[in-house]
Amino acid sequence: MTVWGTGTPRREFLAVDDLADACVFVVKSYSDLQFLNVGTGEDITIAEFARLIAEVVGFRGKIEFDTSRPDGAPQKLLDVSAINALGWRAQIELREGLQPMYADFVAHYPELRGSAPLRQDESHADSA
């Protein structure tokens, strides 16, 4: 499996159920006009993320990093101190969120498992 870049940039991931929980929390308990960031406040490297996905899906092959491809921003991490101060915190760990997502994918999209990636001209065929 080839991952673009060096694998060193850091990214933050949030489970959709945590986002939904945060939205309900904010609607019920927040009335200020200031924006709130919703996130975990934690990040991991792209390399760590690739290894975690490989573990979750049972991939035992080699992960290579294509350093001829761009890394993107060195870090994308939200300051979640404001929403945390109000009493909300993300509850779902990254691995805990990935496992049911992958199980759902396996159960509902068997035609996509193991198939070649869509070509760019095929990716929007259903929307035309």
Side-chain angles (χ1 to χ4, degrees), residues 83-113:
I83 196 165
N84 288 174
L86 294 171
W88 184 87
R89 282 188 169 42
Q91 299 298 310
I92 302 170
E93 296 291 327
L94 183 54
R95 177 186 298 274
E96 182 186 340
L98 287 172
Q99 290 169 329
M101 181 193 70
Y102 180 63
D104 182 74
F105 172 78
V106 169
H108 294 99
Y109 300 97
E111 71 280 5
L112 297 178
R113 290 184 37 223

Side-chain angles (χ1 to χ4, degrees), residues 9-128:
R10 301 185 69 83
R11 297 293 182 263
E12 176 178 17
F13 296 92
L14 178 71
V16 69
D17 287 348
D18 273 340
L19 177 59
D21 183 63
C23 290
V24 171
F25 175 85
V26 169
V27 167
K28 288 181 176 181
S29 62
Y30 188 72
S31 61
D32 200 341
L33 294 176
Q34 183 173 338
F35 291 106
L36 292 172
N37 288 327
V38 177
T40 62
E42 298 175 4
D43 58 3
I44 65 170
T45 68
I46 296 294
E48 292 168 322
F49 184 60
R51 286 191 290 271
L52 178 59
I53 289 174
E55 288 175 25
V56 168
V57 304
F59 178 75
R60 290 176 185 32
K62 184 176 181 181
I63 299 173
E64 296 179 345
F65 295 89
D66 182 351
T67 58
S68 72
R69 300 294 188 162
D71 265 341
Q75 184 177 39
K76 293 185 179 182
L77 178 65
L78 295 172
D79 175 0
V80 295
S81 58
I83 196 165
N84 288 174
L86 294 171
W88 184 87
R89 282 188 169 42
Q91 299 298 310
I92 302 170
E93 296 291 327
L94 183 54
R95 177 186 298 274
E96 182 186 340
L98 287 172
Q99 290 169 329
M101 181 193 70
Y102 180 63
D104 182 74
F105 172 78
V106 169
H108 294 99
Y109 300 97
E111 71 280 5
L112 297 178
R113 290 184 37 223
S115 65
L118 292 176
R119 292 190 321 255
Q120 189 168 359
D121 60 336
E122 294 177 322
S123 62
H124 298 289
D126 292 339
S127 61

